[in-house]
């Protein structure tokens, strides 16, 4: 049964360069147009089944919020229609029904009454909401005194306790702490088990893979992909990182079929990646080509004495060149090319892996590993191959590449490019933390 | 039209609890954070009344009719005016003030002006109590006709609700509307015989004052508290007022309903 049906939905905003243009258009005798039309959504059609958890993904400004506002009837569409069966509880922006001057408890009465609950129904739910939000005695303080975490917790608790048939969550959970987030995801499960429908909008791609049955991808107001979360996420990351679309636009299914057929024919892949690596090795790179890679992070931090430069790199994972997503359980290989501008007797090649918030997960170099390396003359190119399994939990990670020299007991840096490579790791398991240590568990008899 | 009215009444019934909480909160919010709180409700009109009294009674020596003390006579109409203008101003601002609710939640925006108009009734009530105290000090007895004030408060609320629907929705589409409304209210204040006596002008011109619906309200308050006249003594003026008010409510409601779907886009 379809609980939400969206059919040929379009939304156009009239943009005026100022209020005067608006007035001119109104009074113009020949109905001359002074606005320009901005189509936030174009011809969107999809439906959501009862009990389904749908993820909506897309870049900022792709029309996600507008779509939600129309589904919740906050905004009216320019054309097309939306049909919704059942009560929607929407967290378009957490706690917007809240009045900062009122206490938490009073706000629960206010937002509950807006959702159409009677005073009695609200009174029954308040202990449950209080317990779930766990904000203690703050429930009787004005909401303006809350920390943002408390605010979100109360708003989220209020939203899920109105007994909705459809729950819409827009980027909401990013604020709560881990403990509360886990609680929310447990509640999600509960909702799913009860056959309720959830619409989930987020930038956290791993959340979509973990929690959604299906995902749709919006791009510049158009629905460009609809289907299995993992595939849609890959498409999204490709868009985000600017990988040219390999004929996917013409036929949505061809992309995934290609990958499958290729992976069956393993000898073929070997040659495909081999040629890529071969081409990389043979290319005589002297200028900096790192930024041409899709995994390159333009906000890298670079320093060194410029006696040598890191000029190019290549990431090979899942038998793909610079893939948008790296599988946590497959081996990843990084090739790096260095150009020497001075004679260096003992170069030290290093690599560091960090989380998005800067925690070093792993790092090492040829010096620590006692790996013999050749001395280099000015003008020479050298190359390193780093192979490592990225046994990590789903998320984004940075890789830093460094080059130093060992000279008279000191190690002056020649070129260090911190956080140069930005990788998205995909881990299909529900394990949490940073490293996936592949624990095994056995119940003993 | 009747269907629209019924559906509006249904919305009011369904959201009665929300309306109540929000109206109470609006009253609280107005004075929250100030040290004297609700006392400003009394200080503000008293200062205004005092200034007008000094200027017009002591300065210009405006004569009130029938030897009624000027302060009571003036205050009476002032209460009616203040009730009307506060309800209209706050009702017209209701959508802009609650833009979050309209943009982010599913909320019947047509009840927002109603909430503002209702919350202004408490101010009217305080003013009426002050009026009764002033009258008692000046030795004027209340009669049963004073109960007519309920009828006039209803009239004030309905007229300001209808006008608020129009002005609140229009001010979302055209932000200049709040300035226009301020000019209209300023003009209306001086055009209504609140601190001057209509008898100062020749009788054949009175019709121009009577076309102003606020005249019916200010005179109504005086009839209730001072002249002891029932409203049915003025059938033609009453008929005109209710015709005007109902048209305002219909036009305002019609306008609001038509632009409602565009409100979220323009806030």
């Amino acid at each position: 049964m379809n609980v939400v049906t969206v059919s040929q939905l379009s939304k156009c905003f009239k943009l005026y360069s100022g209020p005067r243009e608006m007035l001119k258009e109104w009074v113009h005798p020949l109905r001359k147009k002074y606005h320009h039309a901005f189509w936030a959504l174009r011809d969107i059609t999809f439906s959501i089944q009862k009990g389904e958890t749908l993820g909506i993904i897309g870049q900022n400004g792709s029309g996600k919020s507008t779509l939600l506002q129309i589904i919740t009837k906050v905004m009216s569409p320019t054309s097309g229609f939306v049909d919704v069966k059942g009560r929607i509880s929407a967290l378009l922006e957490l706690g917007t029904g809240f009045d900062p001057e009122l206490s938490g408890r009073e706000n629960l009465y206010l937002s509950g009454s807006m959702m159409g609950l009677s005073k009695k129904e609200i009174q029954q739910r308040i202990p449950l909401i209080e317990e779930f939000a766990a904000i203690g005695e703050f429930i009787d303080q004005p909401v303006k005194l809350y920390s943002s975490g408390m605010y979100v917790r109360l708003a989220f608790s209020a939203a899920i306790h109105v007994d909705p048939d459809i729950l819409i969550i827009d980027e909401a959970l990013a604020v709560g702490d881990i403990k509360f987030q886990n609680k929310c995801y447990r509640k999600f499960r509960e909702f799913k088990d009860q056959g309720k429908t959830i619409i989930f909008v987020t930038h956290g791609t791993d959340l979509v893979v973990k929690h959604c049955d299906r995902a749709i991808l919006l791009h510049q107001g158009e629905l460009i992909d609809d289907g299995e979360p993992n595939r849609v996420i890959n498409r999204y990351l490709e868009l985000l990182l600017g990988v040219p679309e390999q004929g996917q636009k013409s036929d949505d299914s061809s992309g995934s079929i290609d990958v499958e057929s290729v992976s069956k024919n393993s000898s073929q892949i070997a040659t495909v990646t081999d040629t890529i690596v071969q081409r990389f090795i043979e290319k005589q790179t002297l200028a900096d080509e790192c930024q041409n890679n899709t995994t390159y992070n333009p906000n890298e931090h670079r320093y060194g004495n410029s006696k040598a430069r890191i000029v190019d790199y290549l990431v090979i994972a899942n038998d793909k060149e610079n893939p948008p997503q790296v599988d946590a359980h497959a081996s990843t290989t990084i090739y790096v090319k260095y150009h020497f501008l001075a004679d260096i007797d003992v170069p030290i090649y290093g690599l560091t892996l960090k989380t998005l918030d800067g925690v070093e997960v792993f790092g090492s170099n040829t010096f620590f590993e006692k790996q013999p390396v050749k001395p280099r003359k000015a003008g020479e190119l050298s190359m390193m191959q780093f192979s490592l399994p990225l046994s990590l939990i789903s998320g984004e990670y940075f890789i830093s590449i460094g080059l130093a020299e060992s000279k008279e007991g000191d190690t002056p840096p020649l070129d260090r490019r911190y956080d140069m490579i930005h990788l998205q790791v995909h881990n299909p398991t529900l394990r949490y933390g940073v490293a996936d240590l592949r624990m095994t568990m056995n119940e003993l008899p | 039209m009747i269907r629209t009215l019924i559906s509006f009444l249904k919305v009011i019934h369904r959201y009665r609890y929300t309306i109540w909480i929000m109206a109470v909160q609006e009253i609280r919010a107005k004075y929250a954070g100030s040290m004297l709180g609700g006392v400003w409700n009394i200080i503000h009109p008293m200062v205004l009344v005092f200034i007008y009294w000094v200027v017009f009674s002591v300065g210009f020596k405006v004569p009130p009719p029938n030897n009624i003390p000027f302060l009571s006579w003036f205050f009476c109409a002032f209460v009616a005016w203040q009730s009307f203008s506060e309800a209209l101003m706050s009702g017209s601002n209701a959508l802009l003030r609650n833009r979050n609710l309209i943009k982010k939640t599913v909320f019947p925006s047509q009840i927002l002006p109603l909430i503002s108009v209702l919350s202004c009734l408490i101010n009217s009530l305080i003013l009426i109590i002050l009026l009764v105290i002033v009258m008692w000090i000046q030795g004027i007895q209340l009669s049963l006709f004073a109960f007519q004030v309920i009828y006039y408060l209803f009239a004030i609320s309905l007229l300001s609700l209808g006008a608020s629907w129009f002005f609140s929705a229009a001010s979302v589409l055209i932000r200049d509307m709040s300035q226009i409304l301020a000019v209209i209210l300023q003009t209306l204040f001086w055009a209504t015989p609140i601190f001057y006596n209509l008898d100062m002008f020749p009788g054949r011109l009175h019709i121009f004052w009577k076309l102003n619906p606020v005249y019916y309200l200010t005179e109504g308050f005086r009839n209730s508290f001072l002249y002891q006249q029932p409203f049915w003594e003025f059938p033609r003026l009453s008929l005109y007022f209710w015709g005007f008010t109902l048209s305002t409510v219909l036009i305002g409601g019609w306008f609001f309903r038509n632009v409602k779907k565009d409100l979220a886009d323009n806030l």
Side-chain angles (χ1 to χ4, degrees):
Chain A
M1 192 183 87
N2 287 341
V3 280
V4 178
T5 312
V6 176
S7 174
Q8 295 178 318
L9 185 82
S10 295
K11 176 74 186 179
C12 176
F13 289 101
K14 286 179 183 177
L15 299 182
Y16 296 90
S17 44
R20 250 174 235 186
E21 308 304 307
M22 203 162 156
L23 186 67
K24 273 195 217 159
E25 184 172 305
W26 281 358
V27 298
H28 199 280
L30 299 172
R31 303 241 154 237
K32 185 172 179 274
K33 296 286 174 234
Y34 282 91
H35 67 263
H36 75 266
F38 171 73
W39 290 89
L41 293 174
R42 268 181 225 264
D43 200 23
I44 306 278
T45 302
F46 68 94
S47 58
I48 309 172
Q49 300 229 304
K50 190 173 181 337
E52 204 170 21
T53 301
L54 177 82
I56 301 180
I57 44 178
Q59 282 155 272
N60 288 333
S62 58
K64 289 170 297 180
S65 298
T66 311
L67 179 61
L68 289 190
Q69 279 176 309
I70 294 175
I71 290 177
T72 52
K73 306 263 161 77
V74 170
M75 244 181 213
S76 53
T78 308
S79 66
F81 76 92
V82 174
D83 182 39
V84 177
K85 293 188 182 77
R87 167 146 62 189
I88 296 187
S89 180
L91 296 176
L92 290 188
E93 215 168 86
L94 276 174
T96 32
F98 281 9
D99 189 321
E101 301 289 339
L102 288 174
S103 76
R105 193 186 303 278
E106 289 166 315
N107 267 309
L108 292 180
Y109 277 103
L110 179 62
S111 62
S113 74
M114 279 183 197
M115 291 299 300
L117 298 178
S118 70
K119 195 172 174 179
K120 213 171 171 185
E121 286 174 303
I122 299 170
Q123 271 165 348
Q124 284 167 355
R125 284 172 169 84
I126 281 190
L128 298 173
I129 299 176
E130 259 189 274
E131 197 199 321
F132 192 87
I135 55 170
E137 58 193 16
F138 270 94
I139 190 85
D140 289 311
Q141 294 292 319
V143 164
K144 64 178 175 189
L145 300 178
Y146 284 24
S147 73
S148 53
M150 287 197 276
Y151 198 83
V152 170
R153 261 145 59 188
L154 187 67
F156 185 80
S157 312
I160 54 175
H161 282 95
V162 295
D163 243 343
D165 303 301
I166 303 163
L167 181 68
I168 298 184
I169 298 163
D170 186 3
E171 312 276 2
L173 298 177
V175 201
D177 57 16
I178 301 282
K179 211 169 123 197
F180 185 72
Q181 283 188 17
N182 278 334
K183 210 152 127 188
C184 294
Y185 293 129
R186 272 209 304 280
K187 197 79 194 172
F188 268 23
R189 289 277 150 72
E190 228 173 86
F191 262 73
K192 279 171 88 168
D193 294 343
Q194 288 166 12
K196 291 181 175 176
T197 310
I198 303 173
I199 303 178
F200 191 45
V201 180
T202 178
H203 287 295
T205 50
D206 49 317
L207 293 178
V208 174
V209 174
K210 247 183 223 172
H211 298 285
C212 298
D213 308 318
R214 208 179 106 203
I216 60 173
L217 173 59
L218 293 181
H219 184 60
Q220 291 171 359
E222 284 176 66
L223 195 156
I224 58 168
D225 209 350
D226 180 347
E228 204 266 315
N230 218 343
R231 193 194 81 209
V232 178
I233 291 287
N234 276 330
R235 186 81 190 280
Y236 165 67
L237 291 171
E238 281 169 9
L239 277 177
L240 199 64
L241 301 170
V243 173
E245 293 175 44
Q246 292 137 358
Q248 284 195 347
K249 197 151 195 174
S250 53
D251 185 359
D252 276 329
S253 55
S254 72
S256 53
I257 290 169
D258 270 0
V259 174
E260 238 172 72
S261 62
V262 167
S263 60
K264 271 177 199 149
N265 191 343
S266 57
S267 63
Q268 200 188 327
I269 326 158
T271 54
V272 169
T273 49
D274 277 358
T275 11
I276 295 170
V277 173
Q278 204 60 37
R279 215 188 306 139
F280 177 81
I281 292 170
E282 283 166 6
K283 196 164 61 178
Q284 284 296 314
T285 319
L286 294 176
D288 189 349
E289 300 225 338
C290 292
Q291 68 254 39
N292 301 337
N293 283 308
T294 50
T295 48
Y296 174 73
N297 168 25
N299 301 318
E300 63 163 331
H301 176 58
R302 186 176 188 178
Y303 72 94
N305 61 16
S306 303
K307 284 185 185 169
R309 291 181 308 131
I310 295 162
V311 287
D312 201 1
Y313 74 89
L314 171 71
V315 180
I316 299 281
N318 310 1
D319 304 314
K320 271 188 180 165
E321 169 189 10
N322 288 318
Q325 219 176 39
V326 175
D327 194 344
H329 296 127
S331 178
T332 301
T333 309
I334 298 165
Y335 297 88
V336 184
K337 207 180 274 185
Y338 308 84
H339 181 217
F340 289 86
L341 302 168
D343 294 355
I344 305 294
D345 289 334
V346 189
I348 304 173
Y349 303 99
L351 179 148
T352 308
L353 173 72
K354 282 195 236 168
T355 64
L356 210 51
D357 29 68
V359 178
E360 287 181 347
V361 179
F362 170 82
S364 191
N365 57 45
T366 50
F367 185 71
F368 291 164
E369 304 288 330
K370 301 194 171 63
Q371 178 88 28
V373 288
K374 286 186 208 149
R376 294 290 171 181
K377 294 260 174 289
E380 266 185 339
L381 279 176
S382 76
M383 249 171 282
M384 283 296 292
Q385 180 196 40
F386 302 91
S387 279
L388 69 165
L390 291 177
S391 301
L392 300 164
I393 299 304
S394 288
E396 291 168 63
Y397 294 88
F398 285 126
I399 288 178
S400 313
I401 301 290
L403 175 60
E405 78 176 305
S406 175
K407 199 166 126 191
E408 296 146 13
D410 201 12
T411 54
L414 307 178
D415 191 9
R416 276 193 183 152
R417 304 188 72 161
Y418 279 18
D419 304 340
M420 177 172 68
I421 309 175
H422 183 189
L423 288 181
Q424 182 86 33
V425 174
H426 168 59
N427 188 329
T429 69
L430 293 173
R431 294 165 191 163
Y432 56 92
V434 177
D436 183 355
L437 300 179
R438 311 213 191 157
M439 170 174 70
T440 55
M441 284 181 280
N442 286 304
E443 190 182 17
L444 298 178
Chain B
M1 196 179 84
I2 289 174
R3 275 232 299 280
T4 316
L5 185 70
I6 290 172
S7 75
F8 177 65
L9 292 176
K10 271 189 186 155
V11 169
I12 292 182
H13 180 74
R14 192 172 153 223
Y15 284 91
R16 61 192 184 282
Y17 189 44
T18 312
I19 294 174
W20 170 248
I21 299 180
M22 288 183 74
V24 170
Q25 175 50 18
E26 203 168 311
I27 295 163
R28 270 169 54 177
K30 217 179 268 177
Y31 301 99
S34 57
M35 270 190 291
L36 290 177
V39 182
W40 284 112
N41 260 340
I42 301 167
I43 296 175
H44 184 232
M46 289 310 271
V47 170
L48 272 184
V49 166
F50 178 76
I51 292 169
Y52 285 126
W53 174 66
V54 169
V55 172
F56 291 102
S57 178
V58 182
F60 292 146
K61 300 207 188 325
V62 175
N66 315 333
N67 292 324
I68 296 165
F70 180 83
L71 188 57
S72 293
W73 178 80
F74 156 71
F75 201 175
C76 208
F78 183 75
V79 170
W81 166 259
Q82 196 72 4
S83 302
F84 169 75
S85 73
E86 269 191 33
L88 180 54
M89 270 200 295
S90 128
S92 300
N93 200 19
L95 297 185
L96 290 175
R97 206 172 39 230
N98 292 297
R99 67 182 69 194
N100 257 350
L101 289 182
I102 299 168
K103 270 181 95 84
K104 310 277 172 170
T105 62
V106 192
F107 190 77
S109 44
Q110 66 269 34
I111 65 173
L112 288 171
L114 176 72
I115 289 169
S116 292
V117 168
L118 285 180
S119 74
C120 283
L121 279 177
I122 190 78
N123 280 0
S124 312
L125 216 65
I126 292 171
L127 283 172
I128 289 169
I129 292 169
L130 286 177
L131 171 67
V132 172
I133 294 172
V134 167
M135 283 170 59
W136 177 74
I137 292 171
Q138 296 198 317
I140 301 168
Q141 295 277 312
L142 280 182
S143 70
L144 279 178
F145 287 107
F147 283 105
Q148 282 190 107
V149 79
I150 296 165
Y151 161 84
Y152 285 110
L153 279 178
F154 177 72
I156 287 172
S157 299
L158 205 63
L159 179 62
S160 42
L161 176 65
S164 291
W165 270 334
F166 175 80
F167 283 109
S168 62
S171 65
V172 172
L173 303 179
I174 315 162
R175 293 297 156 94
D176 310 48
M177 215 56 196
S178 53
Q179 309 298 331
I180 296 174
L181 179 65
V183 172
I184 293 176
L185 277 176
Q186 196 65 254
T187 315
L188 217 52
F189 176 72
W190 295 94
T192 310
I194 296 168
F195 47 80
Y196 59 85
N197 198 338
L198 197 52
D199 295 334
M200 289 155 60
F201 298 90
R204 59 193 163 80
L205 291 179
H206 286 188
I207 181 73
F208 293 111
W209 273 270
K210 288 179 179 172
L211 282 176
N212 169 6
V214 188
Y215 171 78
Y216 181 75
L217 301 170
T218 54
E219 281 310 288
F221 264 59
R222 282 179 179 146
N223 285 333
S224 311
F225 288 109
L226 304 172
Y227 308 153
Q228 279 130 33
Q229 299 265 358
F231 64 86
W232 54 84
E233 288 280 308
F234 313 95
R236 274 172 56 203
L237 202 60
S238 293
L239 210 62
Y240 168 74
F241 174 82
W242 285 108
F244 189 95
T245 299
L246 290 180
S247 323
T248 308
V249 169
L250 288 179
I251 293 169
W254 169 83
F255 181 76
F256 195 100
R257 212 170 65 119
N258 273 316
V259 301
K260 194 183 163 189
K261 62 175 174 20
D262 295 326
L263 290 178
D265 294 7
N266 285 290
L267 272 166

